[in-house]
Amino acid sequence: MASNLMPEYLFSDPENISPTALPDYTTLDFISNGSHIYGEIMWPSENQPKPHPCVIMLHGFPGTARNDDISHALCRIGCVVLVPHNRGAWGSEGKYLITNCIEDALNLAEYAHSEEFTEKYNVDPSQIFLLGHSMGANSALNAGRRLNWIRGIIMLTPYDPARYLNRSKESYFRSLLEEGKILKSDGIDAIYEDVVINKNEISHPKAFEQVKDKNLLVIGASYDSVSPINEMILPLWNQLEANSRNTKAVQKKIDFPTEHGLLGRRISVIKEIASFIEEVCNS
């Protein structure tokens, strides 16, 4: 099915919007494994072509970094966008754990794929994307690898929590977890032990067999001190690149000369995301 996107609105507003067809948003209140997950559901103007692609935006750790510029741009061009807060983050119920974040992403994707959601929000169930930044990219990858119908996975400066578990680099991961004081959890040790116990199931390179034929966009930052490209992206990407002749999937890696948050190249990042979604939906 061809894309119904309108990329001309990526950075501009339509001149006229009918008051009976306004884009809008509402509160996301979704139950994931018994806990209420709160956030936002955004949808484009009723005048835009239907059905719409759907993008699920997954925040990083601990959730302070906002990606509203991306979600609004994607909504303007015709995407329905879900912006959830993980368990234990920003008012959502439950306890924060890396594996809980993955479960939340998986459950939300299943919800977005359901007949109830696709009919209500005019979503094409064959055009659902998971987009995550940093630890949210870990959630996108590890949820998306389990969904054979997911249309694409978008990873922005991905963080592989299983990467820094050895003694020489354990302090890097623990220092990151120190920033999680705003989260509702059982503490740093609980979050860390959750990763140790599940490291083989969440390691990015070990996702290769399940994602080698999936559409993937990976955006790295050349000066990233949190998710260095060599440590966090290349272990999986090198496998995908070696397999590129054996897949028809759209798989792209783009690096920008920024730090972890991609500030200074946000417009370029948004253009790449929109271009990837449009290409995949048209393929």
Side-chain angles (χ1 to χ4, degrees), residues 129 141 151-158 211-221 229 233-234 236-244 247-256 268-283:
F129 294 79
L141 176 68
R151 194 59 177 271
I153 300 170
I154 301 167
M155 304 167 69
L156 310 181
T157 56
V211 301
K212 64 182 181 181
D213 294 314
K214 292 187 183 296
N215 300 309
L216 283 164
L217 172 63
V218 184
I219 294 181
I229 292 170
I233 294 178
L234 292 186
L236 173 59
W237 183 258
N238 287 342
Q239 295 180 76
L240 294 170
E241 197 168 41
N243 183 66
S244 60
T247 183
K248 295 181 180 178
V250 178
Q251 296 179 347
K252 296 182 176 181
K253 182 178 81 70
I254 302 162
D255 301 334
F256 289 108
S268 298
V269 168
I270 291 169
K271 287 178 178 178
E272 292 293 347
I273 293 170
S275 175
F276 171 78
I277 292 173
E278 186 175 32
E279 180 179 356
V280 168
C281 289
N282 283 330
S283 63

Side-chain angles (χ1 to χ4, degrees), residues 86-152:
N86 291 316
R87 264 179 273 179
W90 296 106
S92 289
E93 294 179 348
K95 298 289 182 70
Y96 185 94
L97 288 173
I98 303 303
T99 53
N100 284 354
C101 294
I102 296 168
E103 288 176 357
D104 294 343
L106 185 63
N107 293 338
L108 277 164
E110 293 281 13
Y111 171 55
H113 191 248
S114 69
E115 185 175 346
E116 173 193 356
F117 186 90
T118 55
E119 288 189 356
K120 183 175 182 178
Y121 293 102
N122 296 302
V123 165
D124 183 340
S126 72
Q127 294 185 356
I128 296 174
F129 294 79
L130 285 163
L131 186 161
H133 169 240
S134 190
M135 201 77 82
N138 174 68
S139 301
L141 176 68
N142 280 297
R145 68 193 283 191
R146 294 167 169 81
L147 300 169
N148 58 15
W149 46 262
I150 205 75
R151 194 59 177 271

Side-chain angles (χ1 to χ4, degrees), residues 159-166 169 173 195 199 203-205 230-232 235:
Y159 189 91
D160 181 351
R163 192 74 184 162
Y164 284 166
L165 297 180
N166 60 65
K169 293 185 177 178
F173 187 24
V195 174
K199 62 182 179 181
S203 166
H204 292 194
N230 287 344
E231 289 280 358
M232 298 292 180

